[in-house]
Amino acid sequence: MMARGRSARVGQVFSIGIPYVWLVLFFALPFAIVIKLSFSSAAMAIPPYEPMFNFADEMLQAVLNLGNYLLLLDDPLYLEAYLGSIKMAGIATLGCLILGYPMAYAIAKVSPQRQALLLLLVMLPSWTSFLIRIYAWMGLLSHNGLINQALLSVGAIEQPLAILNTDVAVYIGMIYAYLPFMILPLYANLSRQDQSLLEAAADLGAHKFTSFWHVTLPLSFSGVMAGCMLVFIPAIGEFVIPELLGGPDSLMIGRVLWQEFFNNRDWPVASALAVVMLLLLALPIACFNHYQAKSMEAAR
């Protein structure tokens, strides 16, 4: 019995400890390094920043440079990048919700065999390279691309539309790339809903739209929140799609980070940008966790 209890405790330690070790190695430690870099100063060296801690004459000195964060407040470029990222990520999230909710609802209403097929079709584009798919959209949205050629052939337009290298192209690419992240949590929520509630609403004389509006939609709000978080959080730091599909006016924080890291080689300012971005993302994540905790308490 003692050996059995000891093995159970060891199993609990491993099952609980491994996720914490994973978080420390791949989140806490890299985040601590980024915070440390954000308080250092740029230098013409390899790596291109001055050490934060110096040990000389038996004294340990720590130099905290707050100028990187003050620069973010003084230069309007960074504020515009943050606001542009929030705007583009918000519009892309709304677009994914508008397209993804009907698709998830339709998948949840078909037979289980068709559900598996439709979910496979949703996930199938993700099996190819993300970069190749964005390059394909460059061909579709270009001046002589398939979309313009199709619109010209049916007489919908008289001259090709300027879609590529605009914000519209960025929205199209982001909605296309992150749509599965909206569909899957919505489908998981809608497929688990109790259908007897809809039957009760129908027995009371409610029409299908009324039942959907007052029963299905409120019960699916947790899935909507989860899908929006899964789309908004990666979209706000997107770099590849604005770089390939957007123009010079498509200013997002991911592009600014890339320029600071690799073009300007100003790692401290880039680290400060990343820290502020993570702090901004902490607010919607905290709101989502609070809502999830309240939902779980209400379910009990």
Side-chain angles (χ1 to χ4, degrees), residues 177-229:
Y178 293 111
L179 186 59
F181 294 95
M182 180 66 72
I183 293 175
L184 294 178
L186 283 172
Y187 161 76
N189 179 280
L190 292 169
S191 62
R192 292 198 307 264
Q193 288 187 5
D194 190 358
Q195 299 301 312
S196 62
L197 297 176
L198 296 176
E199 296 174 0
D203 291 339
L204 293 173
H207 298 288
K208 288 186 177 181
F209 179 78
T210 305
S211 300
F212 170 80
W213 186 258
H214 291 284
V215 178
T216 302
L217 187 60
L219 291 177
S220 64
F221 191 66
S222 61
V224 171
M225 289 285 292
C228 290
M229 290 296 102

Side-chain angles (χ1 to χ4, degrees), residues 10-11 32 36-37 60 77 79 82 90 103 126 140 147-149 161 173 191 196 201 217 220 241 287 290:
V10 171
K36 172 181 167 297
L37 287 177
L60 180 63
L77 171 69
L79 179 60
Y82 283 119
M103 296 173 67
S126 302
L140 291 172
I147 293 177
N148 274 320
Q149 294 299 320
L161 300 175
S191 62
S196 62
L217 187 60
S220 64
I241 296 175
C287 294
H290 179 70

Side-chain angles (χ1 to χ4, degrees), residues 8 64 69 98 113 161 207 223 246-247 253 275:
L64 296 179
Y69 291 96
I98 294 173
Q113 293 80 8
L161 300 175
H207 298 288
I253 199 63
V275 170

Side-chain angles (χ1 to χ4, degrees), residues 2 21 26 30 39 43 62 68 75 91 95 114 132 135 176 178 237 270:
M2 293 180 60
V21 172
F26 297 103
F39 288 107
N68 301 319
D75 195 335
I91 294 176
R114 291 186 178 181
I132 292 175
Y135 270 118
Y176 162 77
Y178 293 111

